[in-house]
């Protein structure tokens, strides 16, 4: 069974959706640790309640980004994970760190990439006047929020939406999409072909998910 390490910086709502999927038997994997760069991350307590080993690598204790990333990699490698999952991990990672886990580190971003990378995605979407917004699961590469796209889920932008309302609608889809995309990975159904994701599956679309990346034939 594949081993997963989850990285968080805050409440860990996507982490909880992954742990729920594992507990329900929907996601055939083992979450071997939850690590954070913040001692006060609420998600750590939630993971402890579920019996998941947790750890903190405080970025403030390191003089450089490289030093922090080295300590983080050391903490991750103790658990020999098959997959590193970023779930609201609010750190920009160095190229060396990203390349260390190339092809086995994924992230979820609250926009339909390549639209609206970076922070404040819902504010960006509203300012741009788009009628469709959503979230993206992608492999992590040295270029921030630009890795090969694994799957996306879309939501409508409704007249009168503010950031909070739009964020809540997207978050519902994040909690559906992320465990599903991780399941594809742990079942060895994902592959990268010329920098693009291919999903080997007779039926790619699951209920509640929109526009996952699937073979054209």
């Amino acid at each position: 069974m594949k081993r997963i390490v989850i990285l968080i910086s805050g409440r860990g709502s996507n982490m909880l959706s992954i742990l729920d999927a594992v507990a329900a038997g929907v996601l055939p994997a083992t979450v071997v640790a939850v690590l954070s760069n913040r001692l006060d991350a609420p998600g750590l307590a939630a993971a402890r309640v579920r019996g998941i080993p947790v750890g903190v690598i405080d970025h403030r204790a390191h003089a450089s980004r490289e030093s922090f990333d080295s300590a983080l990699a050391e903490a991750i490698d103790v658990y020999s994970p098959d997959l590193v999952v970023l779930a609201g991990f609010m750190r920009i990672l160095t190229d060396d760190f990203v390349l260390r886990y190339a092809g086995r580190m994924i992230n979820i971003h609250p926009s339909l990439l390549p639209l609206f990378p970076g922070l404040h995605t819902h504010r960006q979407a509203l300012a741009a006047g788009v009628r469709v917004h959503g979230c993206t699961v992608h492999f992590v590469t040295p270029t921030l929020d630009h890795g090969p796209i694994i799957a996306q889920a879309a939501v409508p932008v409704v007249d009168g939406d503010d950031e909070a309302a739009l964020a809540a609608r997207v978050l519902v889809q994040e909690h559906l999409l992320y465990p599903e995309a991780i399941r594809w990975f742990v079942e060895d159904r994902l592959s990268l072909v010329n920098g693009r994701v291919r999903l080997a599956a007779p039926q790619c679309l699951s209920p509640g998910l929109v526009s996952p990346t699937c073979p054209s034939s």
Side-chain angles (χ1 to χ4, degrees):
M1 188 171 290
K2 293 288 199 297
R3 298 165 60 85
I4 297 173
V5 167
I6 301 176
L7 306 185
I8 65 170
S9 292
R11 59 182 177 169
S13 71
N14 273 303
M15 173 201 75
L16 290 174
S17 73
I18 295 164
L19 295 180
D20 285 345
V22 170
V26 176
L27 177 54
T30 301
V31 177
V32 293
V34 172
L35 304 177
S36 179
N37 64 308
R38 298 183 60 91
L39 184 63
D40 60 351
L44 292 174
R48 286 193 192 98
V49 167
R50 294 171 180 244
I52 308 298
V54 303
V56 176
I57 304 87
D58 190 343
H59 64 275
R60 296 169 298 182
H62 294 270
S64 68
R65 196 177 300 278
E66 290 77 13
S67 173
F68 169 75
D69 281 6
S70 177
L72 178 60
E74 184 177 347
I76 291 171
D77 290 349
V78 166
Y79 297 97
S80 302
D82 299 289
L83 181 66
V84 178
V85 173
L86 308 186
F89 188 64
M90 304 304 290
R91 294 286 300 172
I92 295 176
L93 299 165
T94 59
D95 289 3
D96 284 347
F97 182 92
V98 171
L99 294 174
R100 184 188 190 104
Y101 302 103
R104 57 191 182 104
M105 182 162 62
I106 64 175
N107 182 47
I108 190 163
H109 183 75
S111 80
L112 295 173
L113 293 174
L115 294 176
F116 315 131
L119 300 175
H120 309 299
T121 59
H122 311 303
R123 185 185 308 171
Q124 292 184 61
L126 291 171
V130 298
R131 305 309 298 171
V132 178
H133 189 40
C135 56
T136 302
V137 179
H138 64 96
F139 283 105
V140 178
T141 64
T143 303
L144 182 66
D145 297 332
H146 279 82
I149 291 172
I150 297 169
Q152 295 180 303
V155 302
V157 179
V158 179
D159 290 342
D161 264 344
D162 58 14
E163 285 184 65
L166 186 54
R169 194 176 306 118
V170 170
L171 191 61
V172 170
Q173 293 301 313
E174 290 182 42
H175 293 168
L176 294 170
L177 187 69
Y178 216 3
E180 182 85 341
I182 293 168
R183 181 170 66 86
W184 298 337
F185 182 93
V186 302
E187 292 179 347
D188 296 321
R189 293 160 59 192
L190 287 180
S191 60
L192 282 169
V193 179
N194 296 324
R196 297 190 66 178
V197 171
R198 291 292 181 266
L199 175 63
Q203 293 182 340
C204 297
L205 189 61
S206 297
L209 306 185
V210 180
S211 300
T213 304
C214 298
S216 57
S217 60

